Amino acid sequence: MSFQIMIEPLGQGVAARDGQTVLDACLRAGVWLPHACGHGVCGTCKVQVLEGECEHGEASNFALMDFERDEGKILACCATAQADLVIEAEIDEDPDAQFLPLEDFDAELVEARMLTPTIRGLWLRTAKPAAFQAGQYLMLHVPGVEGERAFSIANAPHEDLIELHIRRVPQGRATGWLHDELQVGQTLRFTAPNGRFFVRKSARLPMIFVAGGSGLSSPKAMVLDLLNEGCELPITLIQGARNREELYFSEVFEALAERHPNFSYVPVLSDLAPEADWSGARGYAHEALKAHFANDFRGHKAYLCGPPPMTEACIATLMQGRLFERDIYTEKFFTAADAATAAPRSPLFKAL
């Protein structure tokens, strides 16, 4: 059995299988609805049902209050149609969004190596090309682990292999398996593309990328994509790490900076002895960011990806330097494991 879901104000209809969530049906048809956690706890995917009946599923009573249920609101990530539906959603138009349909992929691991003492690089080959925008992420099925795990795609869309940077999480079953058990030749399953973290190319503004740890994945893909397309706008990448061992792919970015006059690469290390042999920037990513631009970020677009303390510090730095919310983008995804414990974002910043 299937039902028809009409999405307003788009005026577009999609088919939903029996038991398929409203969100999944829309995403697989290439219709993007605002969402974040995917598990009924954040409320981002709240939409209004204008016609039809739904089963609410496991929607949290905090994310969807009783009075909202009475008013006909649902969480699209949990709700399933019980009849044909007409829903109304707040959908921001974005000229740079490609609205690619969500698809399932089987992929063979063809290469794996340690990039840092805690980050393992995986390279996967899919039987059919995986379409995505640089900066988006995939949801990976890890054998023996309940719930999918989100990982940013580190390669540019024109490259043949899917590249992932997996940071080992202490006592993490999923990342532990991906580090210790997964071997070349094995097959993994993932769903892609996910997320709204991509370059706003139509703005035609100079770009700042700030990455920390395995958060380098998305900026790496975005920078490679821009340079492959022949972008001539100024592009700056600030990469923060604690020490040289954790500063990975630096030789790749140094080579890119030599070949492309519009690309600047600024590595910065935060945990070095004063006498250490290092000619680059010292301190934290937000400090290097401020110094490199002399605390003036006007006329730029900024993309941040890394640990929350780094992201929050960079947001504050950018705002102090006259760059505000509409021009700052952060990567944001949740898994079943962290959705319920996700910390609230800074009250100064709510985008993406």
Side-chain angles (χ1 to χ4, degrees):
M1 180 183 298
S2 65
F3 302 105
Q4 190 74 9
I5 302 175
M6 180 64 65
I7 303 100
E8 298 294 353
L10 297 179
Q12 185 169 345
V14 305
R17 302 186 309 273
D18 188 27
Q20 184 181 21
T21 67
V22 171
L23 179 62
D24 190 66
C26 290
L27 295 179
R28 289 181 182 275
V31 177
W32 184 85
L33 295 183
H35 63 282
C37 75
H39 307 287
V41 298
C42 74
T44 306
C45 65
K46 192 177 300 178
V47 299
Q48 179 71 48
V49 176
L50 302 178
E51 297 179 21
E53 297 293 332
C54 278
E55 170 60 45
H56 286 287
E58 297 182 358
S60 161
N61 288 330
F62 294 100
L64 188 68
M65 302 290 188
D66 288 341
F67 75 89
E68 293 178 307
R69 298 173 192 240
D70 294 339
E71 292 173 351
K73 291 184 173 62
I74 61 170
L75 298 186
C77 71
C78 296
T80 54
Q82 304 299 298
D84 290 346
L85 296 178
V86 178
I87 65 172
E88 184 176 47
E90 294 183 8
I91 301 175
D92 295 329
E93 293 186 9
D94 192 321
D96 296 295
Q98 295 182 14
F99 300 109
L100 300 168
L102 195 66
E103 296 186 80
D104 299 317
F105 296 89
D106 291 317
E108 178 189 1
L109 181 67
V110 296
E111 183 182 354
R113 67 175 185 270
M114 294 302 294
L115 302 174
T116 77
T118 59
I119 299 173
R120 190 186 194 201
L122 306 180
W123 283 264
L124 304 165
R125 177 180 289 117
T126 56
K128 59 180 180 179
F132 64 95
Q133 291 184 258
Q136 291 188 299
Y137 65 93
L138 56 76
M139 299 298 295
L140 189 67
H141 301 263
V142 181
V145 177
E146 183 178 356
E148 301 168 309
R149 296 297 188 268
F151 294 104
S152 299
I153 303 172
N155 59 287
H158 68 275
E159 298 178 294
D160 293 333
L161 300 180
I162 296 294
E163 178 182 335
L164 305 178
H165 302 167
I166 310 296
R167 181 180 65 86
R168 183 191 289 273
V169 176
Q171 286 79 52
R173 291 181 58 201
T175 60
W177 188 90
L178 292 169
H179 269 251
D180 301 331
E181 304 296 330
L182 179 63
Q183 302 296 323
V184 170
Q186 289 182 259
T187 299
L188 291 173
R189 300 200 70 193
F190 67 82
T191 304
N194 295 274
R196 298 276 283 181
F197 191 56
F198 47 79
V199 178
R200 271 55 184 184
K201 298 176 183 178
S202 64
R204 299 293 301 165
L205 291 174
M207 289 154 283
I208 301 168
F209 297 90
V210 186
S214 60
L216 180 66
S217 303
S218 291
K220 174 178 176 289
M222 297 158 110
V223 168
L224 291 176
D225 182 47
L226 287 165
L227 296 177
N228 177 69
E229 291 182 346
C231 177
E232 297 180 351
L233 293 166
I235 303 169
T236 302
L237 171 63
I238 311 284
Q239 182 185 5
R242 288 186 298 179
N243 51 54
R244 284 189 172 186
E245 282 189 313
E246 296 183 357
L247 186 75
Y248 68 106
F249 278 120
S250 58
E251 70 284 353
V252 171
F253 298 118
E254 289 168 356
L256 287 173
E258 289 183 2
R259 294 202 306 270
H260 299 275
N262 62 315
F263 175 61
S264 300
Y265 173 57
V266 183
V268 53
L269 303 182
S270 63
D271 190 16
L272 284 180
E275 67 276 9
D277 182 20
W278 171 253
S279 59
R282 293 173 181 247
Y284 294 101
H286 70 281
E287 296 170 332
L289 174 66
K290 181 176 181 178
H292 186 77
F293 287 92
N295 199 34
D296 187 351
F297 307 103
R298 288 173 293 181
H300 288 78
K301 290 280 188 182
Y303 303 86
L304 315 176
C305 189
M310 183 212 80
T311 300
E312 296 293 339
C314 287
I315 289 171
T317 298
L318 290 166
M319 287 185 168
Q320 290 165 9
R322 304 291 299 278
L323 193 71
F324 301 110
E325 179 178 337
R326 66 179 183 183
D327 292 317
I328 303 174
Y329 303 88
T330 67
E331 185 172 54
K332 180 179 179 181
F333 53 66
F334 293 79
T335 66
D338 61 20
T341 59
R345 294 195 50 76
S346 164
L348 295 175
F349 191 78
K350 60 183 177 59
L352 294 190

